Amino acid sequence: MKRYIALYKYLVMAALMLCVMTACKKDYQDPSGPSLDQAYSSPQALTDVAVGLQAWYVKDRIGLIYTTTTSGSLLTGETFVTNPGNADEGQLATGGNTLLNNNVVVTGMWSVTNKIAYEADKVLNKTNSVVADKGFASGLIAYTSIFKALALGVQANYWEQVPDTTSQPDNQTGAVHFIPAQQGYARAVRTIDNALNTIAATPIGANFAPNIPKGINIVNTLYALKARYALCAGDYATALDAANKVDLTAAGISTFNFNPQVPNPIFILVASTSNIYQVVDSTMGLPVGIQPDLADARIPFYISRPPNGKPTKFAIGGFFTTNIQSIPVFLPGEITLIKAECYARMNNLAQGLTELNKVVTKTPAQDPFGVGASLPPVAVGNIPDLLTQIYRNRRIEMFMSGQEVEDERRFGRPVAERKRNFFPYPFVERNDNTNTPPDPIF
């Protein structure tokens, strides 16, 4: 237990010192590394920075896969801390005022999202002037935009207000201002639109794909993320239009891939040890009334029953069962449920129910990732009941996805069903940025 705490704090502090990750007004350049001119001076250098964004997103206990999966599942009761010595995860599990501004999970998430957004902007601003091959430039802009959008979306998911790096900082302090989280989602959509417009003008060149990790379907991912973040921004027509452009077949999937050198972080740190947290049970963190049907085939997909003698009765399954298992960037079921929610929010009961039942009746064999409920269709007679069923199925279909808290807020679920609405702002921001908003009460 102690070695995991020490490792995590070392990794976070190393990242903070290496990248000068303090307030978001700061420069993220490593003073011991190459100058800015060197780091962004060639197509290969820019591509290396872009590939590094994916590494920051997926790798180890400071990456956003670990911090978002951990935060979302603990805050909503999908998982519980198995060892109280893991104090930072324990604060998330307890929530409320016990969640401190120096919590390393929260601080790590804040620092890495700012790091990714900062580096992505550098690549996006330099590409057209540095890369002569327009097809290569198109691919680089599109790929980089995926990670900028993800970083902006994660911030908007977990903080009430987010940095507005598009506006002019204070003249005296250089500190950036903040905007409401919903505007942060809109910024993510604009980032994606810029990428899609770039691709429309010049398709991605065939020579770009060999330069980035395998697994990412760039165009399909852009449309999927546009649908996700436009939905969260409340722009239902835009979200529905984007969702309708996503290829939901096996040809359209996108995954973060792993290997023994860069292993699946949730498996290697959490699922394989049961030393930090584990799943609670087959209720999947949902309250009485909307808990999963025990016949739902998604339960055994996401939750396993370990053999006798193991420390917990239930264990994490899903996409966290081996050290090299891929993690989807998005699920086909998420996109279908986005369509259902958009129709419901626009008062189209019949079409919303049709889309919902595509997820409810889907079998594992019909899904590229094997996620299927195999249940009879549901019947609802009004929009509020439809929205409740959409929420229920989002939580089951997208178990441990990191999107749980945003879903709870958006669907107006009782605050008793979660440990926090939003995170407090880390001291690394507050101590250096006088524009940092007050911490939310809950």
Side-chain angles (χ1 to χ4, degrees):
M1 172 269 295
K2 288 183 179 179
R3 73 183 180 92
Y4 285 112
I5 296 174
L7 173 62
Y8 186 24
K9 292 185 175 178
Y10 169 78
L11 288 171
V12 171
M13 291 309 297
L16 296 179
M17 291 185 289
L18 175 64
C19 301
V20 199
M21 289 185 185
T22 53
C24 51
K25 67 173 179 147
K26 295 290 186 181
D27 189 347
Y28 284 73
Q29 184 185 0
D30 176 7
S32 66
S35 68
L36 286 177
D37 288 341
Q38 292 172 319
Y40 307 103
S41 62
S42 71
Q44 190 57 56
L46 288 172
T47 304
D48 289 345
V49 174
V51 171
L53 302 181
Q54 181 166 338
W56 278 103
Y57 193 89
V58 306
K59 193 176 180 182
D60 299 325
R61 213 166 171 182
I62 58 172
L64 295 182
I65 284 181
Y66 180 85
T67 55
T68 59
T69 303
T70 298
S71 298
S73 65
L74 287 172
L75 288 171
T76 57
E78 291 177 338
T79 60
F80 72 103
V81 172
T82 56
N83 191 324
N86 297 291
D88 297 285
E89 285 82 358
Q91 290 178 17
L92 290 165
T94 304
N97 292 330
T98 65
L99 186 60
L100 303 179
N101 302 74
N102 62 354
N103 182 284
V104 293
V105 179
V106 174
T107 300
M109 187 190 296
W110 180 258
S111 299
V112 171
T113 51
N114 282 315
K115 165 72 174 175
I116 289 174
Y118 176 89
E119 296 288 356
D121 278 341
K122 291 294 183 183
V123 174
L124 295 173
N125 291 336
K126 287 280 188 177
T127 294
N128 284 328
S129 62
V130 171
V131 183
D133 183 334
K134 296 305 178 185
F136 193 99
S138 183
L140 183 56
I141 289 169
Y143 175 74
T144 301
S145 296
I146 287 172
F147 293 96
K148 180 180 177 181
L150 283 167
L152 295 174
V154 168
Q155 282 193 343
N157 193 331
Y158 286 98
W159 280 276
E160 191 173 31
Q161 297 189 54
V162 297
D164 180 16
T165 54
T166 62
S167 66
Q168 289 296 318
D170 289 343
N171 291 332
Q172 297 298 319
T173 66
V176 302
H177 298 276
F178 282 69
I179 55 177
Q182 199 167 49
Q183 293 181 29
Y185 286 128
R187 277 191 63 202
V189 173
R190 290 196 298 272
T191 297
I192 294 166
D193 278 340
N194 177 69
L196 291 170
N197 291 336
T198 300
I199 294 169
T202 306
I204 298 172
N207 60 337
F208 178 71
N211 293 274
I212 62 173
K214 293 180 179 180
I216 304 292
N217 182 319
I218 293 177
V219 175
N220 218 38
T221 299
L222 288 169
Y223 280 121
L225 295 180
K226 181 176 179 178
R228 177 187 295 175
Y229 296 135
L231 174 73
C232 295
D235 187 350
Y236 306 124
T238 297
L240 181 60
D241 179 70
N244 282 328
K245 291 181 170 69
V246 181
D247 180 356
L248 302 182
T249 69
I253 65 172
S254 275
T255 56
F256 296 121
N257 297 339
F258 299 96
N259 56 57
Q261 289 70 46
V262 183
N264 180 309
I266 303 301
F267 173 79
I268 205 72
L269 295 167
V270 181
S272 64
T273 67
S274 293
N275 190 50
I276 302 177
Y277 60 86
Q278 262 296 358
V279 292
V280 175
D281 56 28
S282 60
T283 63
M284 304 177 94
L286 290 169
V288 173
I290 58 171
Q291 291 173 352
D293 186 322
L294 291 179
D296 193 322
R298 292 171 294 190
I299 296 175
F301 177 85
Y302 281 115
I303 301 173
S304 65
R305 296 295 295 268
N308 292 335
K310 291 293 183 179
T312 59
K313 186 176 181 181
F314 299 92
I316 295 170
F319 301 105
F320 313 122
T321 59
T322 75
N323 67 326
I324 60 172
Q325 186 171 10
S326 298
I327 298 175
V329 182
F330 65 91
L331 287 173
E334 176 190 357
I335 306 305
T336 304
L337 288 167
I338 287 174
K339 296 180 188 180
E341 185 178 343
C342 288
Y343 282 122
R345 304 277 183 197
M346 296 188 290
N347 294 310
N348 188 333
L349 178 66
Q351 196 62 48
L353 185 59
T354 296
E355 295 296 332
L356 169 64
N357 277 323
K358 289 179 183 178
V359 171
V360 172
T361 60
K362 179 182 57 173
T363 66
Q366 294 172 319
D367 185 88
F369 293 104
V371 182
S374 297
L375 294 173
V378 300
V380 296
N382 56 63
I383 294 295
D385 287 349
L386 174 60
L387 286 169
T388 298
Q389 290 301 316
I390 292 169
Y391 169 75
R392 176 193 195 190
N393 279 276
R394 280 182 65 89
R395 286 290 305 276
I396 302 169
E397 184 86 2
M398 300 157 59
F399 185 66
M400 292 184 67
S401 68
Q403 299 186 57
E404 300 90 341
V405 179
E406 165 59 38
D407 282 356
E408 289 209 356
R409 295 192 307 260
R410 194 172 69 256
F411 283 89
R413 299 300 303 176
V415 294
E417 294 180 9
R418 55 191 175 276
K419 314 299 174 60
R420 292 266 325 186
N421 271 330
F422 294 101
F423 281 159
Y425 297 92
F427 283 139
V428 294
E429 185 70 28
R430 184 169 301 288
N431 290 344
D432 269 356
N433 187 349
T434 56
N435 295 326
T436 306
D439 288 336
I441 296 172
F442 180 77

